Amino acid sequence: MSLIPDDVIDQVREAADLVGIIGEHVELKRSGSDYRGSCPFHGGTHRNFAVIPKKGMFYCFVCHEAGDVFTFFMKRLGMDYPTAVREVARRVGITIPERGPSGPDPHEPLYNAVAAAADWFARQLREGPEGDVARQYLGSRGLDLESVLPLGLGYAPTGRAFLDAMKSLGLRDEVLLEAGLLIKREDGTLAPSFRGRLLFPIHDPRARVVGFGGRLLGAGEPKYLNSSETPIFHKGRLLYNLHAAKHAMRKAERAILVEGYFDVLRLSLAGIEEVVAPLGTGLTSDQAQLVRRHASHVILLYDSDEAGLRATFRAADELLRERLRVSVATLPPGEDPDTLVQRRGAAGLEAILKDAVDVFERKLQILERKGFLGTLPGRRRALDRLLPTIRAAADPITQELYMSRAAEAAGVRKDVLEREVASRGGGGRETGPAAAPPASRLPPPELPASAEKTLLLLLLEGEPWKSKVIQAVDAEEFEFMPYREAFEAIADDAVLSLSETSARAYEELRAEGLGDRDPNALYERAVNFIEARRLERQLEQIDQRLPFETPEGQASLIAEKRRVFDELRKRYPRYKIAMRRRGAPGT
Ligand SMILES: [Zn+2]
């Protein structure tokens, strides 16, 4: 049996007439937008078996068999997966290319193990004695069991029952370990990976469960836990709910990107189907590519607080690199998509989606509201924040529009801006330290790199230093990437999401601590240094603009340069000496 390409499988699934095909085996009657009949699996006589064309799936409310058109053939007629795909393809008239002989999928045992686990977890949520915790928790969030069960939710109890259940199904420990379902403790004993958690099944594009996201119920850490990376589960390359959302994404010609599993759940239950979420981390470029395969426009629907905004703009940059059109929807303060739909229903959410604005406009709005565009230094800082988004826009027309808007809003000439964008390779992927803002050309004074470090050490001291530091500097001002990441993570209380390098930097900082150094003095010196660096960038900007100005323009620029320079000397007296070696300003 040869391997069938994913996009062909998608095509076949989309072309299949699910109601017609299942209708050959079950007498179906329309019920709203779904169809109901008696279940062919448990042989019931009541209409407990639902076919849901909008989601491309079937589900029995009694025996809980569920799946798509291929699963139906597999379960009903005992076909294996490729045979089921070929059978449906034959019916819809799609030719499946032969790819020469190849063996069965070597990961088949892992898929089977995860599927068996998903079934077992779902049963615990439905009727397990300990599942009561999860049922009550869902109730407290206003979600009824009947509506979440078809989505495959489950519950992992705290004890060892999972181990015994998997053993009784004949699943070997090695396979369960490789599938990320068990962990090996330091003493060599095995334990279930998920304990005391509500589980969201995560599907691959073929709609097979490949892993889980688990919400802890009760005290402890971490609140959310995903399956570890396995040969079939790569969290950076999967999106929660994509398997169910992709048809709706094509139809609606948009994708809605939210942050959490519950947001997806709530929107999809409210009938807004084109919704996906990354798996508890920032959006990756692989995930942005996945989105682009099904929609050309993305609406970001994240929290409106500082952390949510940071995540919004980071995700937007990834999406812009994939040439997607990106809008940002703004929730009222304190709301998330979950709470909003609960209170105002789908209509309330649609109104907010309708008011979504282009991500660049949203950035400008925020900068304006913070008063950045009112002063010259503010405008420079505003530009520094807009530049990454301009550079990320891989679509040339979008980039052009963004540059015009930025030039207009910040009062700079567009050609100057174009040069600045071009000088760092517009649209390029920014990775590692090379992506940092232009580094100082001055000989490094005594404090430099350690100013960033000092600020992080203060941040780790807790309040009041944490708030002071967050107010004084922006993440973008950290030139050393691991420090920038650490700053964002500490500010967002999300240190668990740190990359390995940054996590190491973070650990070293924690180990070092402030010691007996005076935080007041350290704070002042570090903030002054960062401010000096800002001013220094302004000076460089002025130098770049000078040759292109009219004589009057040059005169006012030189005056501006003197002002900036004076400010700089005040902030950072040592600068004077370094500067004298380079020549006085404006000469
Ligand atoms: Zn049934």
Side-chain angles (χ1 to χ4, degrees):
M1 196 55 68
S2 61
L3 287 173
I4 306 170
D6 277 354
D7 53 337
V8 175
I9 292 179
D10 277 355
Q11 257 181 44
V12 173
R13 191 190 288 107
E14 264 170 67
D17 171 14
L18 184 67
V19 175
I21 287 175
I22 296 183
E24 291 170 13
H25 302 260
V26 182
E27 200 192 318
L28 293 171
K29 284 217 170 112
R30 186 181 260 283
S31 156
S33 59
D34 304 338
Y35 290 79
R36 289 292 191 113
S38 48
C39 175
F41 297 106
H42 79 276
T45 50
H46 299 289
R47 265 200 266 281
N48 290 313
F49 179 77
V51 178
I52 309 158
K54 217 161 60 169
K55 294 188 195 290
M57 66 175 289
F58 63 86
Y59 180 73
C60 171
F61 286 90
V62 175
C63 71
H64 308 285
E65 284 291 354
D68 62 8
V69 64
F70 306 130
T71 330
F72 186 81
F73 276 111
M74 291 161 71
K75 291 187 170 169
R76 186 76 186 123
L77 304 171
M79 295 177 177
D80 60 16
Y81 192 78
T83 311
V85 175
R86 280 169 197 280
E87 173 58 21
V88 181
R90 193 184 58 73
R91 287 164 174 249
V92 298
I94 291 176
T95 315
I96 295 203
E98 292 289 344
R99 276 194 163 180
S102 71
D105 188 335
H107 298 318
E108 211 52 49
L110 300 181
Y111 291 116
N112 291 338
V114 177
D119 277 350
W120 189 81
F121 290 137
R123 192 156 64 241
Q124 306 315 305
L125 177 60
R126 243 164 28 226
E127 59 202 20
E130 208 189 307
D132 210 33
V133 186
R135 294 189 286 270
Q136 272 175 23
Y137 176 76
L138 287 169
S140 76
R141 294 191 71 140
L143 293 162
D144 62 298
L145 204 57
E146 281 277 292
S147 52
V148 301
L149 283 177
L151 305 175
L153 264 61
Y155 175 70
T158 47
R160 300 176 45 88
F162 177 73
L163 292 174
D164 301 333
M166 293 299 106
K167 186 160 278 171
S168 75
L169 291 172
L171 291 163
R172 289 182 298 121
D173 290 345
E174 305 84 79
V175 174
L176 295 167
L177 272 168
E178 200 185 355
L181 296 163
L182 297 187
I183 47 165
K184 195 174 241 159
R185 291 214 185 89
E186 267 176 31
D187 63 5
T189 57
L190 297 173
S193 302
F194 296 101
R195 276 157 298 169
R197 286 176 188 272
L198 180 70
L199 295 185
F200 296 83
I202 296 158
H203 298 76
D204 69 3
R206 291 192 176 190
R208 292 177 291 198
V209 183
V210 289
F212 302 92
R215 166 72 160 83
L216 189 64
L217 303 178
E221 287 284 332
K223 199 157 86 171
Y224 281 93
L225 177 75
N226 285 321
S227 293
S228 50
E229 296 286 305
T230 74
I232 60 171
F233 181 80
H234 309 281
K235 73 174 169 186
R237 287 192 242 150
L238 294 163
L239 283 166
Y240 179 59
N241 199 44
L242 181 67
H243 71 294
K246 58 190 182 185
H247 308 287
M249 280 161 67
R250 290 219 181 116
K251 225 157 110 194
E253 294 178 340
R254 69 177 188 190
I256 299 167
L257 195 70
V258 294
E259 278 178 294
Y261 300 124
F262 277 105
D263 300 329
V264 171
L265 206 64
R266 185 75 64 184
L267 263 63
S268 129
L269 291 174
I272 299 167
E273 307 270 346
E274 63 274 26
V275 56
V276 292
L279 309 182
T281 56
L283 192 80
T284 67
S285 61
D286 283 325
Q287 289 167 333
Q289 282 170 31
L290 273 179
V291 173
R292 196 191 50 185
R293 286 181 55 190
H294 307 285
S296 57
H297 177 208
V298 180
I299 302 179
L300 289 160
L301 184 65
Y302 285 18
D303 294 358
S304 302
D305 59 7
E306 282 291 326
L309 281 176
R310 261 200 289 277
T312 299
F313 293 133
R314 256 188 314 223
D317 286 354
E318 285 298 345
L319 294 162
L320 285 169
R321 286 187 195 107
E322 295 302 327
R323 294 172 184 256
L324 284 146
R325 183 156 80 82
V326 184
S327 308
V328 178
T330 303
L331 289 159
E335 298 268 24
D336 59 34
D338 180 20
T339 56
L340 186 101
V341 174
Q342 251 190 100
R343 296 202 307 110
R344 301 195 200 167
L349 185 71
E350 274 299 346
I352 278 166
L353 293 173
K354 222 178 89 230
D355 285 341
V357 297
D358 185 272
V359 57
F360 201 73
E361 285 303 324
R362 181 74 184 121
K363 252 192 171 174
L364 277 172
Q365 276 176 6
I366 291 169
L367 292 169
E368 183 153 33
R369 205 164 298 153
K370 287 188 175 168
F372 276 56
L373 301 178
T375 65
L376 189 84
R379 290 213 292 269
R380 176 63 248 179
R381 286 181 70 191
L383 269 188
D384 285 340
R385 290 180 173 203
L386 293 170
L387 279 167
T389 302
I390 299 177
R391 291 197 184 104
D395 174 53
I397 295 171
T398 306
Q399 192 177 56
E400 184 68 23
L401 288 171
Y402 285 1
M403 279 194 287
S404 300
R405 274 300 277 135
E408 183 194 343
V412 287
R413 296 216 330 258
K414 192 169 157 236
D415 57 323
V416 174
L417 194 56
E418 273 165 2
R419 269 200 309 279
E420 183 150 348
V421 170
S423 70
R424 324 238 11 248
R429 195 164 296 281
E430 302 187 49
T431 50
S440 161
R441 276 192 233 124
L442 295 171
E446 197 177 294
L447 192 53
S450 69
E452 296 185 1
K453 185 168 148 187
T454 304
L455 289 168
L456 287 177
L457 290 174
L458 286 162
L459 200 59
L460 287 168
E461 280 296 293
E463 299 300 351
W465 297 107
K466 187 175 171 186
S467 301
K468 285 177 92 164
V469 171
I470 290 173
Q471 272 202 322
V473 292
D474 297 321
E476 290 77 15
E477 286 169 312
F478 284 79
E479 295 181 350
F480 184 50
M481 269 301 159
Y483 283 179
R484 184 188 297 187
E485 273 191 35
F487 173 82
E488 290 180 329
I490 300 167
D492 295 351
D493 284 324
V495 291
L496 289 168
S497 65
L498 280 173
S499 71
E500 208 181 309
T501 316
S502 305
R504 215 176 308 139
Y506 170 78
E507 287 307 329
E508 276 169 24
L509 288 166
R510 277 182 64 106
E512 179 171 337
L514 274 189
D516 51 6
R517 285 171 286 183
D518 171 21
N520 282 296
L522 287 173
Y523 174 80
E524 198 181 319
R525 281 213 306 168
V527 169
N528 271 343
F529 176 80
I530 297 288
E531 180 60 27
R533 208 153 64 179
R534 261 175 222 152
L535 295 166
E536 192 184 292
R537 274 203 298 273
Q538 276 178 42
L539 287 176
E540 283 179 10
Q541 282 296 304
I542 294 172
D543 280 340
Q544 279 175 23
R545 281 166 62 189
L546 263 176
F548 303 95
E549 289 288 339
T550 59
E552 302 87 72
Q554 287 186 337
S556 75
L557 268 188
I558 288 169
E560 190 182 312
K561 193 169 171 181
R562 282 192 194 283
R563 251 186 318 110
V564 176
F565 185 76
D566 286 343
E567 175 69 20
L568 179 51
R569 206 158 36 183
K570 215 162 54 198
R571 288 283 182 172
Y572 200 67
R574 201 176 285 107
Y575 194 85
K576 193 168 45 182
I577 303 149
M579 199 64 181
R580 210 172 281 143
R581 276 192 228 116
R582 287 171 84 208
T587 55

